[in-house]
Each structure stands twice: as structure tokens, then as C-alpha cells.
Amino acid sequence: MSNESGNSSGVSSGRARGRVVGVPKRCWCGELVVSLMSKSTANPYRRYFRCAFAVERKLSNDNHTYKWVDEALLDEVEALSFRIGRLEQTILADRVEEEKKNLKSLN
């Protein structure tokens, strides 16, 4: 895929090896993932992650990792938001339990 994106729809395509949520660190083949910039007319200057092996071999339409940077970062933000929500629920539940214990000790 060189330094161009053949994906004109603007959405990272689903790969046969499964969708990676968040920022990919390694491809399924074990190679590191590198950040590149699209030079296509459909997505000029848009950054994407790509398997270093696929970049080196100038592969296209393959199953090696490919993901838009903005989509990866959005995945990361959504995952963190979900985790924060769970932590807030845990903290709230702990506070409720503490208040119940405090009320029992007053009686």
C-alpha cells in the first residue's frame, strides 16, 4: 500500500484477521505498526497505521494491519470513557456501602 490509501470511503476496512480496537501496536504477522500519511486524492494528508512488513513490500489489498489514526484515537477515547464510567460506578457503590456502615454504627 506504499504511502497511499486505496480506501476512498474514508473508513478503515475490516481485515480478515480481525478488527483491532484502539491504536494497533503490532500486526497479526508480528511486525510493528508504523504511522504514515495518505497521499491519495480521496484522503490527502490523512494519517494511518500500517504493518511495517506490508509497507516494506509495498503490499496492497492484503490482510496486514491498516487503520486510520483518527479512528484509532476515537476508539481509545471511547474505551477510556467506558472504563471511567465503570470506575465511577465502583466508587459510588463503595461510598454507599461506607455510608450504610456509618449509619449502622450510629444506631
Side-chain angles (χ1 to χ4, degrees), residues 58-73:
K58 297 185 177 168
L59 301 177
S60 63
N61 297 324
D62 57 85
N63 290 328
H64 291 272
T65 298
Y66 168 84
K67 188 167 189 176
W68 294 114
V69 168
D70 54 305
E71 289 178 7
L73 295 177

Side-chain angles (χ1 to χ4, degrees), residues 3-105:
N3 284 344
E4 287 196 30
S5 166
N7 191 342
S8 62
S9 69
V11 177
S12 296
S13 59
R15 299 294 182 186
R17 299 283 176 172
R19 184 177 184 278
V20 174
V21 177
V23 176
K25 288 150 187 67
R26 288 198 177 271
C27 182
W28 62 266
C29 70
E31 287 290 325
L32 290 174
V33 172
V34 294
S35 175
L36 301 168
M37 187 178 299
S38 172
K39 295 177 183 173
S40 71
T41 54
N43 295 293
Y45 306 107
R46 190 174 179 193
R47 299 201 58 86
Y48 63 97
F49 294 112
R50 186 74 170 118
C51 170
F53 175 83
V55 171
E56 183 180 315
R57 303 275 192 293
K58 297 185 177 168
L59 301 177
S60 63
N61 297 324
D62 57 85
N63 290 328
H64 291 272
T65 298
Y66 168 84
K67 188 167 189 176
W68 294 114
V69 168
D70 54 305
E71 289 178 7
L73 295 177
L74 184 58
D75 286 350
E76 293 282 336
V77 168
E78 288 172 351
L80 287 172
S81 178
F82 178 75
R83 289 176 62 191
I84 289 170
R86 284 190 6 215
L87 287 171
E88 287 173 341
Q89 288 175 346
T90 302
I91 291 168
L92 183 60
D94 289 347
R95 285 185 182 167
V96 167
E97 287 301 315
E98 281 184 46
E99 289 298 319
K100 284 181 183 178
K101 287 178 186 176
N102 288 340
L103 287 174
K104 284 183 181 180
S105 68

